[in-house]
Amino acid sequence: MKKLVLLLLPFMAITTFAQSTPPDPFLIGVHGFAPEFDPVHHVCHYVRGVMANPVTLDERQLFLSATHFQLARDLGANLISTTIHPDFVFTPTTDNVVHQICDAASPTTGDTLRVGLLDFGISNFLAGERIMLHPESDMDFGQRGYFEVVPAAGFNRLPVDSANLASPLDLPFASVHAIKMEAGKGVVSGVVNKRKEDLSLFREWMDSTSRLDKGASGLYIVSVTAQLLAPLGDSDSDLPLMHLDISTVDSANALFDRNLRFTLRERHFFDSLDQLITTPIEVVLGMIELREVVNAPDSTPVAFVDYRRSDNTVWADTTLLSYAKILGRVDRDSTARVTAKWEAFDITLSYDDNASATFLLDAVCLSSPRTFAMFHPEHRIFYPSTEPDPPAELEPRLTAWQHTRAGFTSRVDAILTDNGRVATPFPALRFLFGPEQGLHSAQWPLSSVANLLLRERSDNRSRIFCATGYSESPEVSAAFSRRFASGYYCYPIPADYLSPVYPDSTPGSYHHHINRADIRGFV
């Protein structure tokens, strides 16, 4: 067995699994590059279908051929993956690209290949952010007061059952989920620099003229996940229970400090029928917009973070779906630049001096609207106000994201069943590639929930496949891998390596079949 594993390593992709898995053998995969790259025009043409006998060069760049599938079998693989053209997921008159690939990989006769697909309609969709700052974690806050740390597994049901987002990624005791908020226990503050770097969305580029097409929405929904312990009596009470203060800089001059206050109130623990809520809930406290401003009096190219509320900024466009990082590669290479960019920012949590109710606090959340809409598709913040005096924290309403969850499930169904052309999900489809998971991306909560939705709709056949950031600590990488199939590992193929599966096992023949110019081969 040891000898067999060593023979397979040079051309395989290793996958590990979270929770229950489909009844698969150990998966050995190849990824087809042939349809992707146009060496003449240096552009990508993603797979649009499957052809038995491609004729022209253009077709070879746009279609997988039957030769690819047979070659994958001959190489000993039982998983084939490729990148598909996102427009060809919806094909009204013929079988869509996923349908064709799954049929070719699992014919009525011959060996069955499992299928992994990169669809940018899914992977780009999952690029929204959900920054969760847990007060019980020293990875999130430097000063955590003297609050009692308690287990509260109920928070793992937010936003959907088994989401498992209540604990930080890196925590010595995974059963600890929250702190008990009560008087006389100090404050929680000092957001750790590495968590500040999660805050990456912004609307304005420093060079907005030349990069206007890549503008990004910097809108975040500010919320907390909490659970009331002591009863309250007045559903209309605006009495404060906890204050969430964001330290930042003035919008007009980055040299002046500014403080924004958000407040958790007694009325937040009552539903629309004025019934007391005693289960874990997520409460929206308001919205902020993240921008980048330059320190004008100083000529150095150091940027600052500016937060604006709806009372002093009009959000003319909340539909932008393109996201970009405030911290670029140059910033990450310079500790001084990172420190300068984030030194004015902090979050402080404090129990109100006049409050009497006790509650559990699981996390402070900063979510891009698309992510929040995936979590809470029916939330009032996504629908026009019908109230004569609507809560200020819900204005303006973010109706642009009203159908986010429905759009995601519609695309998933198009991939799993070709928009209903087949009765059950394609049995061969194992993986849809998601975004790479890194601590700084803040994308793992959305990917986690999307994975649960995908598994449910595919009868547990398919799941999100996410690579793990190579720079993450082993503890954090392990936490990512508990949620998804892990990232793939690539191994070079030595020139003198003999094929264990090809009948003609000479090195030249083996490499000729892997790297054939006419079909471009696999990795």
Side-chain angles (χ1 to χ4, degrees):
M1 178 59 69
K2 182 176 181 181
K3 181 177 180 181
L4 177 62
V5 171
L6 290 174
L7 288 174
L8 294 177
L9 278 176
F11 59 85
M12 76 180 185
I14 301 176
T15 56
T16 60
F17 299 92
Q19 302 171 7
S20 61
T21 63
D24 277 336
F26 188 80
L27 292 175
I28 305 165
V30 289
H31 186 83
F33 277 96
E36 295 185 45
F37 186 64
D38 178 349
V40 178
H41 301 97
H42 300 286
V43 295
C44 289
H45 296 296
Y46 306 117
V47 174
R48 300 185 182 188
V50 176
M51 295 185 67
N53 296 296
V55 178
T56 69
L57 181 63
D58 287 339
E59 289 173 336
R60 291 193 186 111
Q61 292 165 348
L62 301 177
F63 294 86
L64 284 175
S65 71
T67 308
H68 284 97
F69 297 91
Q70 188 55 47
L71 178 58
R73 296 183 177 97
D74 291 339
L75 288 172
N78 55 14
L79 171 72
I80 186 172
S81 68
T82 192
T83 305
I84 61 176
H85 195 294
D87 293 346
F88 282 67
V89 170
F90 295 96
T91 310
T93 57
T94 61
D95 293 343
N96 74 13
V97 59
V98 183
H99 195 158
Q100 294 181 53
I101 291 173
C102 287
D103 282 354
S106 303
T108 54
T109 60
D111 296 331
T112 297
L113 293 172
R114 282 75 178 169
V115 174
L117 297 174
L118 172 55
D119 167 39
F120 288 108
I122 293 294
S123 61
N124 287 350
F125 183 92
L126 300 180
E129 298 185 353
R130 166 79 160 185
I131 298 159
M132 303 185 70
L133 300 172
H134 294 272
E136 71 274 17
S137 172
D138 56 8
M139 187 178 78
D140 296 347
F141 289 96
Q143 166 61 39
R144 291 172 291 144
Y146 301 97
F147 297 96
E148 181 183 353
V149 181
V150 297
F155 286 107
N156 271 328
R157 293 194 292 269
L158 293 176
V160 297
D161 192 38
S162 301
N164 295 319
L165 303 182
S167 296
L169 283 172
D170 189 5
L171 191 69
F173 304 102
S175 62
V176 174
H177 306 96
I179 63 172
K180 183 183 294 185
M181 292 296 292
E182 50 191 344
K185 301 296 183 180
V187 299
V188 177
S189 64
V191 177
V192 176
N193 278 340
K194 285 190 176 296
R195 298 312 312 278
K196 293 180 184 181
E197 294 174 18
D198 288 351
L199 293 160
S200 62
L201 303 186
F202 64 102
R203 183 181 294 279
E204 297 172 336
W205 290 95
M206 294 178 66
D207 182 9
S208 59
T209 302
S210 61
R211 305 180 74 178
L212 188 61
D213 60 320
K214 295 184 181 297
S217 173
L219 192 59
Y220 280 107
I221 295 174
V222 181
S223 63
V224 294
T225 48
Q227 180 180 9
L228 182 69
L229 296 182
L232 298 170
D234 187 356
S235 61
D236 295 323
S237 173
D238 259 345
L239 290 177
L241 296 177
M242 183 188 73
H243 301 289
L244 188 159
D245 293 296
I246 297 181
S247 304
T248 179
V249 293
D250 187 83
S251 58
N253 191 327
L255 295 180
F256 291 91
D257 294 335
R258 184 179 178 208
N259 187 73
L260 301 175
R261 168 158 286 193
F262 301 84
T263 302
L264 179 67
R265 304 180 184 278
E266 290 188 358
R267 62 177 168 82
H268 287 136
F269 286 103
F270 290 85
D271 63 20
S272 59
L273 300 177
D274 294 336
Q275 298 297 309
L276 191 66
I277 304 172
T278 57
T279 55
I281 57 172
E282 182 164 358
V283 180
V284 172
L285 301 182
M287 288 169 275
I288 58 176
E289 188 172 20
L290 179 60
R291 295 172 180 249
E292 211 176 27
V293 293
V294 178
N295 180 8
D298 191 338
S299 59
T300 58
V302 176
F304 291 79
V305 179
D306 175 33
Y307 286 82
R308 305 185 184 187
R309 292 283 302 278
S310 58
D311 58 358
N312 63 6
T313 297
V314 176
W315 291 321
D317 179 11
T318 58
T319 62
L320 292 173
L321 298 179
S322 173
Y323 299 115
K325 294 288 184 183
I326 274 188
L327 284 178
R329 188 169 298 174
V330 175
D331 294 313
R332 293 195 183 279
D333 291 339
S334 170
T335 303
R337 288 176 63 92
V338 172
T339 302
K341 189 166 287 191
W342 295 110
E343 63 182 353
F345 170 83
D346 195 16
I347 291 179
T348 301
L349 307 171
S350 57
Y351 189 86
D352 188 82
D353 293 338
N354 298 313
S356 58
T358 302
F359 62 95
L360 300 181
L361 179 66
D362 167 55
V364 174
C365 304
L366 302 173
S367 308
S368 58
R370 184 169 61 185
T371 299
F372 195 84
M374 273 285 286
F375 288 177
H376 305 286
E378 305 300 326
H379 199 282
R380 289 190 295 168
I381 202 170
F382 299 114
Y383 295 87
S385 174
T386 58
E387 306 164 75
D389 186 22
E393 62 265 23
L394 300 183
E395 300 297 328
R397 301 300 171 98
L398 306 177
T399 56
W401 286 281
Q402 188 177 113
H403 304 295
T404 298
R405 172 82 77 86
F408 173 77
T409 55
S410 175
R411 189 166 192 91
V412 166
D413 290 341
I415 290 175
L416 293 176
T417 65
D418 191 3
N419 295 296
R421 281 194 174 91
V422 297
T424 58
F426 297 115
L429 184 59
R430 284 294 174 267
F431 300 116
L432 293 180
F433 290 79
E436 181 177 350
Q437 300 301 313
L439 182 60
H440 304 302
S441 74
Q443 293 170 359
W444 58 272
L446 177 55
S447 298
S448 298
V449 170
N451 194 34
L452 291 173
L453 296 175
L454 175 62
R455 290 176 57 187
E456 178 184 357
R457 300 185 82 84
S458 69
D459 298 330
N460 201 34
R461 288 189 177 97
S462 307
R463 64 191 62 222
I464 302 293
F465 183 101
C466 296
T468 300
Y470 69 90
S471 61
E472 300 298 339
S473 68
E475 293 84 0
V476 173
S477 295
F480 290 140
S481 295
R482 285 198 300 269
R483 301 169 189 276
F484 323 103
S486 76
Y488 36 78
Y489 303 87
C490 298
Y491 297 84
I493 303 176
D496 59 349
Y497 186 76
L498 299 179
S499 166
V501 290
Y502 248 86
D504 180 9
S505 298
T506 64
S509 172
Y510 178 60
H511 285 275
H512 169 71
H513 282 87
I514 291 179
N515 301 306
R516 281 173 58 184
D518 56 340
I519 60 170
R520 297 292 291 278
F522 297 106
V523 292

